């Protein structure tokens, strides 16, 4: 598939003219992380491309530059994206235009937020490289559980930052079953992380 993407040039780029990101607690050290293409996101996009997503309502959590969302949108699938960074929506909209696709529904959400009813529930929830800090496992699992349909599949690509175990335990407590998937067929380069699949219903 031919997907066109505008990203930041590198992680040194920073533009927060009105201190919007700073006021949200996003500082210069992590500001640019949303805007570059990470190996985990490429693994997720390759995996999702080969997955049967027809007739599923899909949510990408912490989408960043939104590669998987762009792929699914190009395939005319029902994709919604969410991230906390204030610049994500603009990049996602521009990249949808670059691929001559419709605009992707987007919500700027914090994992700590109460459930936003208008977002709805999802049959498939995906994300990549989300567990940066120890408390993220609890926050992310709670967030996902709020937006998961009674029958739902969750796919998380994690580059083994060491914070997945809390997420896994919490997801199992929520009634999800767990399976680890080999990344061999989904990356051109050696990828040291894993694809984690959770299912319920």
């Amino acid at each position: 598939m031919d997907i066109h993407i505008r990203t930041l040039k590198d992680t040194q780029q920073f533009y927060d003219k009105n201190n919007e990101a700073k006021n949200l607690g996003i500082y210069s050290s992590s500001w640019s992380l949303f805007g570059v293409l990470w190996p985990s996101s490429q693994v997720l996009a390759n995996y999702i491309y080969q997955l049967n997503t027809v007739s599923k309502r899909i949510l990408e959590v912490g989408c960043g530059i939104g590669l998987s969302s762009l792929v699914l949108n190009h395939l005319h699938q029902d994709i919604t994206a969410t991230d906390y960074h204030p610049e994500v929506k603009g990049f996602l909209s521009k990249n949808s235009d670059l691929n001559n696709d419709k605009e992707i529904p987007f919500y700027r959400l914090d994992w700590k937020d109460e459930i936003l009813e208008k977002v709805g529930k999802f049959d498939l929830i995906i994300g990549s490289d989300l567990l940066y800090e120890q408390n993220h496992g609890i926050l992310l699992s709670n967030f996902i559980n709020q937006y998961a349909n009674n029958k739902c599949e969750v796919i998380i690509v994690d580059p083994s930052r060491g914070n997945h175990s809390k997420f896994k335990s919490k997801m199992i407590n929520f009634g999800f079953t767990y399976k680890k998937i080999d990344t061999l067929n989904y990356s051109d380069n050696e990828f040291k992380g894993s694809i984690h699949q959770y299912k319920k219903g």
Side-chain angles (χ1 to χ4, degrees):
M1 180 184 289
D2 187 16
I3 292 288
H4 302 273
I5 303 176
R6 173 177 288 182
T7 70
L8 298 180
K9 183 179 180 181
D10 53 41
T11 57
Q12 301 305 308
Q13 292 193 296
F14 179 91
Y15 183 75
D16 192 18
K17 183 179 179 181
N18 299 314
N19 291 324
E20 186 176 2
K22 183 179 179 181
N23 291 335
L24 292 171
I26 304 169
Y27 292 92
S28 57
S29 59
S30 60
W31 188 94
S32 60
L33 297 181
F34 85 93
V36 295
L37 205 56
W38 297 98
S40 293
S41 67
Q42 295 177 59
V43 171
L44 179 62
N46 279 310
Y47 179 81
I48 292 302
Y49 178 70
Q50 299 177 52
L51 193 66
N52 181 10
T53 54
V54 176
S55 300
K56 292 182 179 179
R57 188 156 192 259
I58 309 162
L59 176 69
E60 183 173 11
V61 180
C63 67
I65 212 65
L67 177 59
S68 291
S69 290
L70 293 166
V71 167
L72 289 164
N73 196 41
H74 200 65
L75 292 170
H76 307 292
Q77 300 303 295
D78 185 358
I79 176 66
T80 298
T82 177
D83 200 287
Y84 188 56
H85 200 291
E87 293 291 324
V88 168
K89 184 176 181 179
F91 274 80
L92 202 59
S93 179
K94 177 62 179 178
N95 284 328
S96 295
D97 287 344
L98 284 175
N99 292 285
N100 298 313
D101 292 324
K102 67 179 178 67
E103 188 162 349
I104 297 170
F106 175 83
Y107 296 93
R108 193 187 67 76
L109 296 174
D110 188 337
W111 296 345
K112 299 174 185 176
D113 291 344
E114 294 292 324
I115 187 169
L116 191 62
E117 296 291 347
K118 67 179 180 179
V119 177
K121 303 274 187 173
F122 297 86
D123 310 303
L124 174 62
I125 300 176
I126 62 175
S128 62
D129 204 351
L130 301 172
L131 302 167
Y132 280 90
E133 299 175 12
Q134 288 188 0
N135 68 326
H136 283 175
I138 304 298
L139 291 173
L140 179 59
S141 56
N142 286 334
F143 180 87
I144 286 175
N145 191 56
Q146 287 188 114
Y147 291 101
N149 268 327
N150 291 332
K151 183 178 181 180
C152 181
E153 179 178 4
V154 178
I155 301 295
I156 301 294
V157 178
D158 185 70
S160 299
R161 295 186 186 278
N163 297 317
H164 183 260
S165 59
K166 287 184 179 179
F167 175 78
K168 177 182 175 181
S169 296
K170 192 77 164 148
M171 290 293 284
I172 290 171
N173 286 341
F174 283 135
F176 288 85
T177 59
Y178 170 74
K179 179 181 177 182
K180 187 174 181 180
I181 299 171
D182 193 341
T183 63
L184 185 62
N185 297 322
Y186 309 106
S187 178
D188 293 334
N189 303 311
E190 183 181 357
F191 181 72
K192 295 181 179 179
S194 302
I195 301 172
H196 303 278
Q197 178 196 65
Y198 295 87
K199 286 185 175 182
K200 75 170 181 178

